[in-house]
């Protein structure tokens, strides 16, 4: 086998081609950001097979060859093992699979110390990839960095001696230590706020990180999906307005209800239920499926397609444009059950409503 690696920006430096294996990068990863009951068994199997089993067995297959190299390295794209429960509760299976890759670093670094360097690399911020487009929708790239930052960090690691082992490295931290000062070159949109990546407890500039409690998402009953027509939708809209409590949450829903149009209903075709904790909390909904649309206090006229659980304070910030839904989800402040594609559609609607809230 032959191996070559990539460059530091424009200064292309190819490693010498020769028979054998000098470097193994375990980068492939499967992801499903779903709770325990919402994660299909086949998705659990996929994440465990690709992330944990794939990393372990590929390393095992390469190690006999790596041990013959002068400066062998294994590099896993996996995070430091942060045991904060917030990184488990929304996507337990995914977290287990990624931490399995990190445990391979811990074990193999010690097992093969002096023979093969084994390290982990993880980004400080979100990286713009196809997976991020899928999770965050259009516009998410502005909150991300390019893959170049990981390439440069990997180059720094893989050119170190094999005595550099057992480390969990954050890309920006390493590059700062290496003398890099300008990180705007890595940004998709220089100057735009960046989204922190999973598994890192960091302070977010846009909002205070109060670990506020989540309202327990209520179990939904299986109802008919028949749509309310004409007078039924109008009645729901009127009744919801009358039933609304007072406060910032109620005022937000009043504005949302006034902004609902047939165009929103036609382009969205989804019903959103919100389980909010704290002042003005409880069950609220936005119906963008039935004719006319409606929003208000209580359950929607038809079964919800998406259930979102968060604090009342974060809900108000989210609809005022002070907290990005994707950021809230990634940092554990928003829990989503149901149709993720519809959740992304709601984020697009929010950007249009911000000026009215």
């Amino acid at each position: 086998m032959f191996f070559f690696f990539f460059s530091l920006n424009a200064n292309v430096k190819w490693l010498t081609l020769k028979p054998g294996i000098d470097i193994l990068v375990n980068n492939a990863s499967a992801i499903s950001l779903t709770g325990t009951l919402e994660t299909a068994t086949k998705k659990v199997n996929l994440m465990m097979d690709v992330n944990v089993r794939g990393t372990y067995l590929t390393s095992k297959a390469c190690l006999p060859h790596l041990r013959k190299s002068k400066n062998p390295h294994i590099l896993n794209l996996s995070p430091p093992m942060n045991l904060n429960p917030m990184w488990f509760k929304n996507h337990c299976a995914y977290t287990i699979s990624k931490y399995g890759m990190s445990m391979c670093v811990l074990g193999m670094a010690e097992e093969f110390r002096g023979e093969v360097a084994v390290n982990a690399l993880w980004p400080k911020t979100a990286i713009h990839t196809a997976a991020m487009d899928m999770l965050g929708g259009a516009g998410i790239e502005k909150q991300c960095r390019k893959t170049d930052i990981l390439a440069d960090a990997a180059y720094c690691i893989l050119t170190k001696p094999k005595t550099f082992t057992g480390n969990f490295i954050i890309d920006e931290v390493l590059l700062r230590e290496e003398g890099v000062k300008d990180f705007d070159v890595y940004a998709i949109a220089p100057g735009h706020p960046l989204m922190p990546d999973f598994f890192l407890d960091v302070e977010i500039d846009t909002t205070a990180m109060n670990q506020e409690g989540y309202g327990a998402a209520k179990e939904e009953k299986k109802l008919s999906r028949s749509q309310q027509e004409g007078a039924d939708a109008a009645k729901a809209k009127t009744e919801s307005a009358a039933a609304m409590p007072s406060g910032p949450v109620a005022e937000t829903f009043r504005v949302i209800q006034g902004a609902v149009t047939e165009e929103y209903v036609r382009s969205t075709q989804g019903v959103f239920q919100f389980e909010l904790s704290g002042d003005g909390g409880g069950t609220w909904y936005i119906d963008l499926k039935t004719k006319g649309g409606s929003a208000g206090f209580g359950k929607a006229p038809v079964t919800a397609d998406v259930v979102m659980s968060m604090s009342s304070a974060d809900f108000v910030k989210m609809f005022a444009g002070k907290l990005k839904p994707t950021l809230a989800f990634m940092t554990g402040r928003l829990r989503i059950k149901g149709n993720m594609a519809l959740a992304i559609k709601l984020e697009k609607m929010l950007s249009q409503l911000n000026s009215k809230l």
Side-chain angles (χ1 to χ4, degrees):
M1 296 179 66
F2 295 86
F3 184 85
F4 60 92
F5 204 64
F6 33 81
S7 65
L8 264 172
N9 288 335
N11 300 318
V12 179
K13 297 180 180 179
W14 299 102
L15 299 183
T16 304
L17 291 171
K18 64 177 184 178
I21 300 176
D22 297 313
I23 296 168
L24 167 64
V25 178
N26 288 306
N27 180 46
S29 189
I31 183 170
S32 180
L33 300 178
T34 46
T36 301
L37 298 180
E38 292 76 41
T39 309
T41 301
K42 65 179 182 180
K43 289 188 177 180
V44 176
N45 291 340
L46 177 65
M47 288 187 283
M48 299 304 167
D49 282 349
V50 174
N51 302 354
V52 186
R53 191 170 183 270
T55 295
Y56 181 88
L57 293 180
T58 304
S59 299
K60 180 181 178 182
C62 290
L63 274 163
H65 306 281
L66 287 164
R67 294 169 86 176
K68 298 175 184 177
S69 173
K70 291 182 179 180
N71 192 37
H73 283 263
I74 294 176
L75 182 62
N76 293 354
L77 273 291
S78 64
M81 288 192 293
N82 184 344
L83 297 183
N84 185 333
M86 68 177 281
W87 297 118
F88 290 83
K89 69 177 183 179
N90 289 338
H91 38 74
C92 188
Y94 174 64
T95 299
I96 291 171
S97 71
K98 292 304 292 185
Y99 284 8
M101 296 176 68
S102 300
M103 292 174 77
C104 286
V105 172
L106 279 177
M108 293 180 188
E110 194 61 33
E111 183 178 359
F112 298 99
R113 186 174 294 278
E115 296 182 277
V116 179
V118 185
N119 295 288
L121 174 62
W122 195 248
K124 181 178 179 179
T125 72
I127 302 297
H128 185 222
T129 61
M132 186 55 65
D133 282 336
M134 176 189 72
L135 295 171
I140 193 66
E141 68 277 0
K142 293 180 181 179
Q143 302 174 54
C144 301
R145 281 175 171 161
K146 304 170 187 174
T147 54
D148 295 15
I149 190 169
L150 284 174
D152 287 357
Y155 182 90
C156 291
I157 296 166
L158 299 172
T159 52
K160 290 183 181 296
K162 62 185 178 183
T163 52
F164 183 80
T165 189
N167 301 290
F168 290 86
I169 301 144
I170 305 302
D171 56 359
E172 182 179 319
V173 175
L174 173 64
L175 291 175
R176 286 191 185 279
E177 292 174 354
E178 295 288 330
V180 176
K181 296 180 180 178
D182 181 11
F183 286 85
D184 280 347
V185 296
Y186 296 119
I188 300 291
H192 196 283
L194 295 169
M195 181 187 304
D197 207 352
F198 288 96
F199 309 117
L200 302 179
D201 292 341
V202 294
E203 292 297 321
I204 308 302
D205 294 336
T206 52
T207 52
M209 283 292 289
N210 311 326
Q211 292 293 325
E212 298 185 64
Y214 285 79
K218 297 180 180 178
E219 183 179 351
E220 295 181 81
K221 295 181 180 179
K222 297 294 181 181
L223 302 176
S224 169
R225 285 186 172 271
S226 60
Q227 297 186 0
Q228 300 290 329
E229 297 288 341
D232 289 341
K235 180 181 178 182
K237 185 180 287 190
T238 303
E239 288 178 350
S240 66
M244 281 188 189
S246 59
V249 173
E251 176 60 20
T252 300
F253 272 96
R254 185 191 67 77
V255 174
I256 294 170
Q257 181 169 285
V260 170
T261 65
E262 286 291 353
E263 176 57 31
Y264 281 140
V265 174
R266 185 166 51 254
S267 61
T268 306
Q269 285 297 291
V271 178
F272 305 87
Q273 182 172 309
F274 299 87
E275 299 293 345
L276 306 180
S277 62
D279 294 340
T283 300
W284 298 77
Y285 75 90
I286 302 174
D287 179 3
L288 296 176
K289 179 179 283 187
T290 62
K291 187 175 181 180
S294 61
F297 185 65
K299 287 199 171 184
V302 295
T303 304
D305 299 295
V306 183
V307 178
M308 299 184 177
S309 302
M310 63 192 312
S311 72
S312 298
D314 281 342
F315 172 84
V316 173
K317 290 174 185 175
M318 189 172 75
F319 274 81
K322 297 178 181 178
L323 175 63
K324 290 281 187 181
T326 307
L327 179 59
F329 179 75
M330 290 185 69
T331 54
R333 299 163 74 176
L334 167 63
R335 182 166 184 169
I336 301 174
K337 290 185 178 181
N339 190 322
M340 289 294 290
L342 281 175
I344 292 170
K345 279 190 177 182
L346 182 64
E347 180 167 7
K348 293 178 182 178
M349 176 185 169
L350 289 184
S351 64
Q352 298 171 330
L353 285 176
N354 288 162
S355 60
K356 302 178 182 179
L357 294 169

